[in-house]
Amino acid sequence: MFWTSYFLAVLAIVLAWPVPILLSRAQWPARSPFTAMLLWQAIALAGGLSMIGAMLVYGLEPIGDNLLAGLRGLAGMVLFNAPTTALGFWHLFALSAAALLTAHLVFTLLLTYYRIERQRRRHRELLALLASPSNDGPGTVVINHDSPVAYCLPGGARSVTVLSDGLMAALEPAELRAVLIHENAHLSQRHHLLLWAFAAWRQALPWLPTTRLAQEAVSSLIEMLADDVALRTESKATLIKAIAIVASGPSGAAGSGSVFDGGQLPMAAADGLAADGIPDGVSGASGGAGSARTTASRVSRLLSPKEPLPASLRALVLAGCLLLLALPTALLIVPGLLG
């Protein structure tokens, strides 16, 4: 297992540094955002598995020829007081680090979910006081504010799309339809689950370049996916105009610069009311440099459209995703099954 642990460590380093940097600078994800989304998920899962697996395999190396045998030996030490003299200091350290990292990742994932749900619950309570039903369909409410604001608040059957008076006054009917379709796409495609996972990953490992780059990339990609859904029924010019109008909203208002962005970072908004009276929400729009870059990339993509990746290249990327997931899994499990 000695070489397996080193190979997994190298794979974890590669997936934590050069690969996400190269992918974040690539131009092709805008051509096939769904494929790029799958690749980011594969990088995250394979990187985490390789990181934990490398430490686990190294720690178990003295008591087993493979992971399963090592785990059986470790279980004997823990449950039946078998001698632990075979494990040196660094092996015990690696096992402890693997256990702590796993617990940290799981705990952060659950804590992030709890915080998101708490913010959404409070947001719904505020909307019940400040918003009124919209004539644009069920699950849509309107808040009284002059700035153009639109976002979605996920919650299963309680999901709502929130619009402002300023947005409805500034947009033509076709543009408003594009906004609503965009927001409903976020809800129907469950984009908030992706954002939750990547937000938790960044919360857990903020020092890792992958976490920041992945979170920013995923936030941008889900906006492109929602734009593609809107383009099925509305024209490109309509969507571009809607984006431009909302982006021109007054600076400092919640949502300005985010462009009917229902897929922003789940933890971006604070509890309670924003300074201008708009209720901040878990999946609500939020301004800032990140959302400004996302808006610019969306508009650029619509103004200068490029053909999607050829099917052969998409298949190649998908095969790479499967390989990324299969490689660390096979290294960890297959030797034990064959042995």
Side-chain angles (χ1 to χ4, degrees), residues 2-15:
F2 179 80
W3 291 110
T4 300
S5 65
Y6 275 81
F7 185 85
L8 288 171
V10 171
L11 182 60
I13 293 172
V14 170
L15 294 177

Side-chain angles (χ1 to χ4, degrees), residues 41-102:
Q41 293 178 70
I43 290 171
L45 291 172
L49 184 59
S50 299
M51 189 184 307
I52 295 173
M55 293 184 290
L56 187 61
V57 169
Y58 176 79
L60 295 174
E61 191 265 338
I63 58 175
D65 295 331
N66 54 69
L67 178 63
L68 297 181
L71 289 175
R72 285 194 294 268
L74 183 63
M77 293 178 180
V78 174
L79 300 176
F80 305 108
N81 295 321
T84 61
T85 54
L87 295 176
F89 170 80
W90 290 112
H91 299 104
L92 291 172
F93 178 83
L95 289 174
S96 300
L100 288 174
L101 179 58
T102 302

Side-chain angles (χ1 to χ4, degrees), residues 90-156:
W90 290 112
H91 299 104
L92 291 172
F93 178 83
L95 289 174
S96 300
L100 288 174
L101 179 58
T102 302
H104 177 60
L105 291 175
V106 173
F107 175 76
T108 305
L109 185 69
L110 296 176
L111 180 61
T112 304
Y113 178 81
Y114 168 75
R115 289 176 175 173
I116 289 173
E117 285 302 308
R118 183 184 63 184
Q119 287 181 320
R120 286 178 182 161
R121 183 169 57 251
R122 183 170 185 184
H123 197 142
R124 290 190 189 93
E125 294 172 354
L126 292 170
L127 288 176
L129 298 174
L130 302 176
S132 57
S134 171
N135 296 325
D136 295 290
T140 305
V141 298
V142 180
I143 56 176
N144 182 17
H145 200 279
D146 294 334
S147 296
V149 176
Y151 59 91
C152 59
L153 188 64

Side-chain angles (χ1 to χ4, degrees), residues 155-181:
R158 299 175 298 167
S159 298
V160 294
T161 297
V162 183
L163 309 174
S164 69
D165 288 335
L167 177 82
M168 301 180 70
L171 299 181
E172 298 293 332
E175 296 158 3
L176 185 58
R177 282 197 306 271
V179 170
L180 289 172
I181 294 171

Side-chain angles (χ1 to χ4, degrees), residues 233-273:
T233 55
E234 304 300 329
S235 69
K236 191 175 300 182
T238 297
L239 183 58
I240 292 174
K241 186 177 178 182
I243 293 174
I245 289 175
V246 180
S248 64
S251 61
S256 62
S258 58
V259 192
F260 49 93
D261 188 348
Q264 281 300 306
L265 309 183
M267 301 303 296
D271 287 335
L273 292 171

